[in-house]
Amino acid sequence: MKNSLRLTVLSMALCFGLFSIAHVKAASISYADQGVPVQDTYTFTATTTGYIGAYFQSSSASYTNTLSLLVNGVVTPQSSLGVLNNQTSNVGDYVNLGYVNAGDILTFQMKVLDTGDIWNSNSASNADGVNHIYSTGFSGDTALGIPAGTYVGFEDIQGGGDFDYNDQAFIFTNISTLAEKHISPVPEPETYAMLLIGLGLVAFTVRSRKRRI
């Protein structure tokens, strides 16, 4: 009787352990300036003609979120209903987001089911005008079964929340990204010309004063 009870308890513990392992969430890639909005704007393009893949990487959100992909502004049929639910997906879960041609413009979109908010990787398309993603290269993780690709971490709260960009994270394959800093525009040639004229007038004035002295 005792042996039977021990065996039952051991079996339950083993099953619970396997269940816990299956639903573990990997740590997100830390954004260095947490609490501060990302100052980059990201442009994603398909590197080759073929399929776009997404691997679930992590989530720290209490809200329920799903992912979709827009190709040249049109959502793909494979992701139109939302994929990789953050509350039910496991690390390394894979989904085919659709077929693309090299050079296609890609927009990643996260829908927050609890609030109805939709946040895009293109901040100009967001209702609050805030950047809701952080992106960086990912070298791959064989232990998790996730290949090298591009990491994208979302912030799911309106206005950017706590700006840690780890509410939902994915690894995407077959894409490249260009991050552009928010910097002052480069002066136009006319601006340089006016500057040179101004410096010339200053030099002429200084010389004239020296001659008078």
Side-chain angles (χ1 to χ4, degrees), residues 51-56 67 78-79 82-84 92-98 170-173:
Y51 291 98
I52 295 288
Y55 292 82
F56 184 78
L67 175 73
Q78 293 91 332
S79 68
V83 297
L84 295 177
D93 280 359
Y94 171 83
V95 65
N96 181 347
L97 294 175
F170 307 91
I171 307 299
F172 298 99
T173 58

Side-chain angles (χ1 to χ4, degrees), residues 65-79:
N65 307 316
T66 58
L67 175 73
S68 296
L69 170 68
L70 281 70
V71 180
N72 299 324
V74 179
V75 67
T76 63
Q78 293 91 332
S79 68

Side-chain angles (χ1 to χ4, degrees), residues 1 10 47 62 81 85 111 115 119 126 129 163 201 206:
M1 185 69 175
L10 181 61
T47 55
S62 57
L81 298 179
N85 183 304
K111 183 173 183 178
T115 63
W119 307 121
N126 292 332
F163 294 110
L201 289 173
V206 172

Side-chain angles (χ1 to χ4, degrees), residues 145-157:
I146 303 178
T150 299
Y151 170 92
V152 176
F154 271 93
E155 179 59 63
D156 64 1
I157 302 294

Side-chain angles (χ1 to χ4, degrees), residues 152-180:
V152 176
F154 271 93
E155 179 59 63
D156 64 1
I157 302 294
Q158 186 171 5
D162 54 9
F163 294 110
D164 56 7
Y165 300 94
N166 63 7
D167 291 329
Q168 184 139 340
F170 307 91
I171 307 299
F172 298 99
T173 58
N174 189 23
I175 73 170
S176 63
T177 178
L178 172 65
E180 300 176 344

Side-chain angles (χ1 to χ4, degrees), residues 17 29 32 41 80 83 91 105 125 127-128 146 159 174 181 197 211:
I29 296 178
T41 55
S80 60
V83 297
V91 176
I105 302 300
S125 300
D128 60 1
I146 303 178
N174 189 23
K181 295 286 185 182
I197 292 172
R211 288 175 182 175

